[in-house]
Amino acid sequence: MGNEEIAIKTEGLRKVFGRFRKRIVAVKELNMEIERSTIHGFIGPNGAGKTTTIKMLVGAIRPTKGKAFIFDEPVGSVKAKRYIGYSPEHPNFYPMSAIDFLIYMGRISGMKREEARKRAKELMEWIGLEGFENKNAQRFSAGMKQKLSIVQALIHDPDILILDEPTANLDPIGRFEVIGKIGELARKERKTVFISSHILYELEKIVDHVTIIKRGNVLLQSSIASLRKRFSENHFIIDTSSNKQFIKRLEGIGNVKKVWINHEGKIEVNVSNGERFKKELIDLVKNSNIIMNEFSPYKMSLENIFIKLVESE
Amino acid sequence: MSGIYVVFEKALKDNLKIKYLAIYIAIALLPFLMFANLSEEAKLFSTLNVELRAEYIAGFYTIFSFFWLAGIALAVLAVFICSGFVADELANRTLLLMSSKPIKRTHFILAKFAAFFITALLFAFLSFFFSIYLWASLFNLDIFSFSKFLPFILPLLFYSVFVILVFGSLATALSTIFSTRMKALLPLIAIIMLAFFAFIPIRSAAQSLGVYNKYYLDMLDLGYDLGNIYINMLDSYGIKLIPPMQSVMGTFTGVYKIPRHGLRIDYDHGIILRELEKTRYHSLKHSMVKWLIAPAILLLIGIFLFNRKDVH
């Protein structure tokens, strides 16, 4: 406690819905720490407990057991809520114009009317909703609702953005655009972003940390850099003038655990000792007539890491 | 505190729409129009002398106000607005967003309740104003007769505050306990029926069989308690109903004893020979406590449960 660098912290967070036979453990025992000014991806398969966790963090759902804090303030408290801006997975609004809705959300969070109006206009323009200020927010398309929901989360300029599937209803172009804008804003204004998404190839473009959960438990929490290192260490891509011939020579090295030709026709190799393999490879190339076109460490995608982790559990 | 005010302001703006007010006033005035044009009693008024006629018209207005203007119409308004406090927000999925905003759930509900209170009081006041005007126009009242209405306004407003608080609390409580408007509506309709209609046929039969007090049916007779509160409020402002009106109140609420052989009224001379005796099953305190304590407890339970509610 007392650490201002920790934006979100959970200690043995647990949520059980229903009783007796209808009892469902949505979140088992969640322990995690989200550092300030990081963009933190929160991923897991369907039913892993992502949305339930997020709802506990924003104060919509009461934990059955355990504790959670937003900058040391207990979740659900008014003080904790002042730090957060939340965009739900399926947002909906009051039957009022988009600008009035945003002003209402801003004022509830303590802003003055004119201040909220100014910020709402800026944010609507920022996210690409200019011209729709006076339209009924309830009649917006799903994608526009999603954008408006992100704007309402940002209206009071919170320190922490909690976004539950913020690109779920957007088309591919809209998804990249929104994800890019969130990343840009977070980095520029040093905001902490806690973001859940199923679309991992988008998420990996902005997140610097990730928590993977499965069945209400944390499988892994790490920075993306160390995660990549962990999953890509001793895994290389090789492309030569004759991969078919070269793969046979690679099979002869004792350090090589597994070697195969991937869907791009390149060689992928898993070794026991990466540093030793690099030296062995130089010798191997020297002693052959083969031309080396590419040698690089394998960069495993977040999606592949996720699949690998979830399947191994 | 600013969050409460913002929610209050929005709720008030949502409630105070000319369309809603027009519908409410039209519904509120309908029974007055029907009575004046269709009932036998209304035809009788023209045969009475000026003073008795004024007493009758004012008396019927008082009874209509009890049952309708400050009664069922206000109770239904409370049910209509308050039962949606939580249910509508849940159905609209806006409660999830609101749950993440820096406002306590208790404050959120109380802000909406305060907005309803102001709305209902304003609607009640306007419905009194319009109904008195309509009533006076329908019976071509002179200024003397019209002045008979004026003392009613204040006790009627106080009684309206009571009804608004009671039914507003009940509807708010049930709205927080149940997740859908329909689930909240059913018990509320049952309470309105119990308060205004259920004991009308039961009471007199139970009294004649001698089981009304013996089996504590009076404790369930919410209609009596409501009538007792209303009559006491009128009494405290020095307003006395004439015996025929007391008889009507007695029939519907059991507040007055109705003589077995009817009332002795000399219509020719405009003399009403005696006042009806009150039944006094319960004291005013008893009736007030019964009507206020239960909704207040239910409201506290509702707010407590709402604070713990999981919002999806």
Side-chain angles (χ1 to χ4, degrees):
Chain A
M1 297 298 291
N3 187 351
E4 285 184 3
E5 288 310 303
I6 301 298
I8 302 171
K9 185 178 183 180
T10 68
E11 292 171 356
L13 203 63
R14 181 180 172 85
K15 182 65 194 179
V16 179
F17 290 114
R19 283 178 190 169
F20 309 114
R21 282 185 184 177
K22 289 181 179 174
R23 196 167 169 271
I24 295 167
V25 181
V27 176
K28 223 170 192 175
E29 196 186 338
L30 203 78
N31 294 296
M32 61 178 184
E33 283 189 358
I34 312 300
E35 284 172 32
R36 186 185 201 135
S37 304
T38 57
I39 305 178
H40 201 106
F42 189 50
I43 58 179
N46 286 335
K50 300 187 296 293
T51 297
T52 304
T53 304
I54 284 177
K55 284 180 180 172
M56 284 194 278
L57 294 178
V58 301
I61 285 180
R62 282 171 66 87
T64 308
K65 212 175 160 188
K67 291 174 186 169
F69 303 93
I70 304 283
F71 285 126
D72 288 347
E73 299 294 343
V75 290
S77 67
V78 169
K79 278 185 179 173
K81 287 176 183 180
R82 287 198 194 285
Y83 289 119
I84 59 170
Y86 163 60
S87 173
E89 187 178 359
H90 303 290
N92 205 13
F93 316 107
Y94 294 103
M96 61 206 303
S97 72
I99 192 94
D100 284 345
F101 172 73
L102 292 174
I103 293 169
Y104 181 51
M105 293 288 111
R107 289 182 70 211
I108 281 186
S109 305
M111 296 175 87
K112 296 247 183 322
R113 190 188 294 270
E114 280 316 306
E115 183 193 357
R117 183 186 299 279
K118 189 170 172 262
R119 172 101 173 140
K121 280 187 176 173
E122 284 167 5
L123 286 171
M124 283 190 83
E125 198 181 327
W126 169 77
I127 209 150
L129 285 177
E130 68 272 26
F132 292 95
E133 290 88 349
N134 296 313
K135 299 274 186 267
N136 186 343
Q138 271 194 336
R139 294 194 188 141
F140 276 15
S141 69
M144 286 163 76
K145 279 184 178 176
Q146 201 82 57
K147 286 182 175 179
L148 188 64
S149 179
I150 294 168
V151 169
Q152 68 75 31
L154 282 164
I155 189 81
H156 58 295
D157 198 15
D159 289 326
I160 302 174
L161 261 184
I162 298 180
L163 309 172
D164 193 0
E165 301 281 353
T167 58
N169 298 306
L170 298 171
D171 57 48
I173 296 169
R175 285 208 299 262
F176 275 102
E177 193 188 348
V178 165
I179 278 284
K181 280 180 188 291
I182 291 167
E184 180 193 310
L185 180 97
R187 294 217 163 81
K188 196 172 138 197
E189 299 186 10
R190 291 187 50 78
K191 289 196 185 302
T192 308
V193 180
F194 188 67
I195 181 170
S196 87
S197 178
H198 273 112
I199 306 159
L200 303 185
Y201 66 91
E202 282 170 11
L203 206 58
E204 74 176 322
K205 293 195 187 311
I206 59 162
V207 295
D208 41 41
H209 287 73
V210 70
T211 294
I212 300 177
I213 66 164
K214 187 183 177 185
R215 293 199 196 107
N217 280 320
V218 174
L219 286 187
L220 177 141
Q221 187 173 12
S222 163
S223 71
I224 286 285
S226 58
L227 196 64
R228 284 234 169 85
K229 198 179 168 196
R230 181 180 147 190
F231 281 89
S232 303
E233 210 172 31
N234 303 331
H235 191 162
F236 301 95
I237 300 279
I238 299 166
D239 191 27
T240 65
S241 53
S242 176
N243 286 342
K244 276 183 187 171
Q245 206 184 326
F246 195 64
I247 198 168
K248 282 175 191 159
R249 305 197 71 167
L250 285 171
E251 281 165 352
I253 300 174
N255 188 20
V256 171
K257 281 160 68 181
K258 196 179 169 189
V259 60
W260 71 98
I261 301 220
N262 71 13
H263 63 281
E264 287 179 343
K266 294 178 180 175
I267 298 169
E268 273 187 47
V269 58
N270 263 331
V271 297
S272 306
N273 186 327
E275 290 308 310
R276 204 175 84 204
F277 176 69
K278 285 174 192 169
K279 287 173 192 162
E280 288 169 343
L281 189 68
I282 292 167
D283 293 339
L284 202 65
V285 174
K286 271 184 191 169
N287 300 327
S288 66
N289 296 325
I290 280 164
I291 300 162
M292 178 71 77
N293 296 325
E294 181 187 342
F295 174 67
S296 58
Y298 177 75
K299 201 177 170 188
M300 195 179 251
S301 69
L302 187 58
E303 193 157 302
N304 284 340
I305 293 170
F306 172 72
I307 291 167
K308 208 168 175 177
L309 264 171
V310 169
E311 280 178 355
S312 68
E313 277 295 313
Chain B
M1 285 301 283
S2 67
I4 298 185
Y5 176 73
V6 176
V7 174
F8 167 78
E9 191 188 71
K10 181 186 177 294
L12 196 63
K13 209 172 153 189
D14 289 345
N15 293 341
L16 289 180
K17 288 189 174 149
I18 295 291
K19 185 174 71 179
Y20 295 160
L21 179 64
I23 293 169
Y24 182 80
I25 298 289
I27 292 171
L29 297 185
L30 203 62
F32 288 90
L33 276 170
M34 286 168 68
F35 178 82
N37 291 303
L38 303 172
S39 75
E40 289 301 317
E41 287 83 353
K43 287 170 194 160
L44 174 80
F45 294 167
S46 56
T47 64
L48 302 174
N49 65 39
V50 174
E51 198 168 339
L52 200 55
R53 184 170 173 263
E55 290 285 0
Y56 259 94
I57 290 170
F60 267 105
Y61 181 81
T62 318
I63 289 167
F64 269 114
S65 299
F66 168 71
F67 276 104
W68 187 248
L69 283 187
I72 296 167
L74 266 187
V76 169
L77 182 73
V79 168
F80 178 74
I81 295 179
C82 302
S83 65
F85 280 175
V86 175
D88 288 357
E89 297 259 359
L90 272 175
N92 201 24
R93 294 201 308 273
T94 41
L95 194 58
L96 181 57
L97 270 185
M98 294 308 297
S99 300
S100 72
K101 300 295 169 195
I103 177 170
K104 285 182 179 170
R105 291 188 187 185
T106 306
H107 291 172
F108 178 71
I109 283 293
L110 291 181
K112 287 194 163 215
F113 187 82
F116 153 74
F117 181 79
I118 303 285
T119 308
L121 205 57
L122 184 71
F123 278 26
F125 180 77
L126 290 174
S127 69
F128 294 148
F129 176 79
F130 282 111
S131 59
I132 288 174
Y133 178 77
L134 179 77
W135 205 234
S137 307
L138 287 168
F139 294 108
N140 295 318
L141 294 186
D142 53 40
I143 197 75
F144 160 74
S145 307
F146 190 75
S147 66
K148 290 263 177 196
F149 284 90
L150 300 179
F152 293 151
I153 303 285
L154 215 51
L156 262 180
L157 274 176
F158 280 122
Y159 179 71
S160 301
V161 168
F162 172 79
V163 170
I164 291 166
L165 286 176
V166 164
F167 283 92
S169 303
L170 284 172
T172 304
L174 292 172
S175 164
T176 54
I177 293 166
F178 298 112
S179 303
T180 65
R181 200 182 253 269
M182 193 49 80
K183 279 183 187 169
L185 275 179
L186 293 175
L188 287 168
I189 290 168
I191 292 168
I192 292 175
M193 297 293 283
L194 193 65
F196 291 99
F197 304 110
F199 266 84
I200 296 172
I202 297 169
R203 192 184 301 115
S204 58
Q207 279 165 343
S208 59
L209 291 169
V211 295
Y212 184 70
N213 294 96
K214 192 180 170 187
Y215 293 115
Y216 301 106
L217 291 178
D218 59 309
M219 297 304 286
L220 295 173
D221 190 353
L222 295 175
Y224 166 78
D225 290 308
L226 218 47
N228 190 28
I229 293 164
Y230 185 65
I231 293 298
N232 271 286
M233 278 193 183
L234 292 180
D235 283 351
S236 65
Y237 281 85
I239 297 164
K240 293 274 177 213
L241 295 176
I242 57 170
M245 296 301 107
Q246 290 175 338
S247 168
V248 176
M249 278 302 279
T251 306
F252 286 108
T253 66
V255 174
Y256 290 101
K257 284 180 186 169
I258 302 165
R260 286 194 177 179
H261 305 294
L263 295 171
R264 288 193 291 154
I265 303 169
D266 185 342
Y267 285 114
D268 297 333
H269 298 95
I271 302 166
I272 299 163
L273 295 174
R274 64 183 177 90
E275 281 203 354
L276 298 189
E277 198 186 330
K278 282 186 186 164
T279 50
R280 299 188 196 284
Y281 295 127
H282 303 148
S283 64
L284 173 64
K285 205 190 275 178
H286 175 114
S287 297
M288 290 284 272
V289 165
K290 200 193 273 181
W291 267 105
L292 286 174
I293 292 288
I297 291 173
L298 209 58
L299 184 62
L300 289 176
I301 294 171
I303 289 175
F304 174 76
L305 292 176
F306 181 57
N307 276 318
R308 302 177 68 85
K309 198 181 192 86
D310 287 342
V311 179
H312 296 282

